[in-house]
Amino acid sequence: MEKFKQLLNDFNELVMFKHSIFSLPFIFIAMIVAANGWFGFKLLILGVLAALTARNFAMGFNRFLDRDIDALNPRTINRPNVDGRISPVQMFLFTFANALGFILVAYFVNDLALYLAVPILIVIGSYSYFKRFSYLAHLILGLSLGLAPIAGVVAVSETITFWSVLLSIGVMFWVAGFDLLYSLQDIEVDKKLGLHSIPSTFGVERTMRISQIFHALTVLFWLLFAFVSESGFFVYIAVVVSAVMLSVEHYIVNKDFSKIDRAFFTINGYLGIVFFVLVVCDQIFA
């Protein structure tokens, strides 16, 4: 039993389960807007399962492919995929099981969700390859999480709405923007290993400007989402609060690089939650 508990802890560390907080709120934001309120317990459960299996697949696949890279990076050398706590076979089985789980969940959602399941897995798995030959990998990572709102709308209405695309593009630039800041920690390692990232290609100052541009685009597309979806006052407040939080994030990183983790985890984690709560308020008080 103790070995099993330890294995669960190791897998939790492998996929960094707590990072699910970045994608979950925007799935349910889209579902709430699409359903114009509560969408039912069945879709709640299926939505959570879809989000978790998709993310576990993406992280497991990434860790499986990146064993050689992580072993050469001082920041990642103690990860379970490197230090032997989880074997390559275990990672492969974990990744494969979550891919099947995601497809199975999609089957129980609706036909369109099932048709899109494999293409979505291909997109979210491609990040691991892109960073080996293109600095656009940051946008691929953003797109992977940006698909969450579209998936939420598909689950509720079995269609893809224009406002969900706008919301998703905003999420894509949001994630890509904070991934750029997070990647500043690995700029020297990326150069040494020949990995393609915006920080290693353009340097620190340009990377921070690009991140600011990405986050400005985030706010713009979320404003467009609020307008096109005919949302109420609280959603516009959510966009304004998000803009303030992103500004604070850049202020923290500009002032002290050692606080990148704080900006990455704390601020971005709360941003999604605050946005979700305000969307719920918009439905209640509309």
Side-chain angles (χ1 to χ4, degrees), residues 144-161:
S144 299
L145 274 76
L147 290 172
I150 291 177
V153 171
V154 167
V156 172
S157 58
E158 203 169 352
T159 188
I160 298 175
T161 60

Side-chain angles (χ1 to χ4, degrees), residues 29 222 232-245 271 274-279:
I29 286 169
W222 284 348
F233 173 76
F234 284 99
V235 176
Y236 286 96
I237 293 297
V239 176
V240 172
V241 170
S242 298
V244 172
M245 294 179 77
L271 187 153
V274 170
F275 207 118
F276 170 76
V277 170
L278 287 169
V279 168

Side-chain angles (χ1 to χ4, degrees), residues 20-174:
S20 299
I21 196 171
F22 296 137
S23 59
L24 277 172
F26 283 94
I27 293 176
F28 294 120
I29 286 169
M31 293 174 76
I32 288 170
V33 176
N36 198 28
W38 176 235
F39 43 79
F41 285 106
K42 177 186 175 181
L43 286 181
L44 173 64
I45 294 170
L46 291 174
V48 170
L49 290 175
L52 295 183
T53 52
R55 190 181 179 283
N56 285 344
F57 163 78
M59 291 298 295
F61 189 62
N62 178 260
R63 295 292 189 256
F64 178 78
L65 288 183
D66 281 3
R67 303 189 307 280
D68 56 337
I69 296 173
D70 289 346
L72 299 173
N73 187 339
R75 188 176 63 83
T76 59
I77 197 171
N78 293 318
R79 285 177 175 172
N81 61 321
V82 176
D83 61 17
R85 281 178 287 160
I86 299 178
S87 70
V89 172
Q90 288 173 317
M91 278 186 283
F92 176 81
L93 291 175
F94 174 80
T95 303
F96 185 71
N98 276 280
L100 288 181
F102 179 73
I103 294 170
L104 182 62
V105 171
Y107 169 80
F108 285 107
V109 174
N110 57 50
D111 289 344
L112 181 57
L114 180 60
Y115 297 149
L116 294 176
V118 172
I120 286 175
L121 290 176
I122 291 172
V123 170
I124 64 179
S126 64
Y127 165 73
S128 300
Y129 287 106
F130 261 85
K131 63 186 177 185
R132 297 169 187 266
F133 63 85
S134 172
Y135 57 75
L136 294 178
H138 305 280
L139 285 170
I140 298 301
L141 178 63
L143 176 62
S144 299
L145 274 76
L147 290 172
I150 291 177
V153 171
V154 167
V156 172
S157 58
E158 203 169 352
T159 188
I160 298 175
T161 60
F162 182 48
W163 62 258
S164 69
V165 174
L166 295 172
L167 179 60
S168 291
I169 294 174
V171 172
M172 180 187 72
F173 281 118
W174 170 51

Side-chain angles (χ1 to χ4, degrees), residues 185-203:
Q185 299 175 103
D186 296 329
I187 186 170
E188 295 304 324
V189 174
D190 288 348
K191 289 179 179 179
K192 182 179 178 181
L193 299 180
L195 294 175
H196 297 268
S197 68
I198 287 178
S200 65
T201 304
F202 296 102

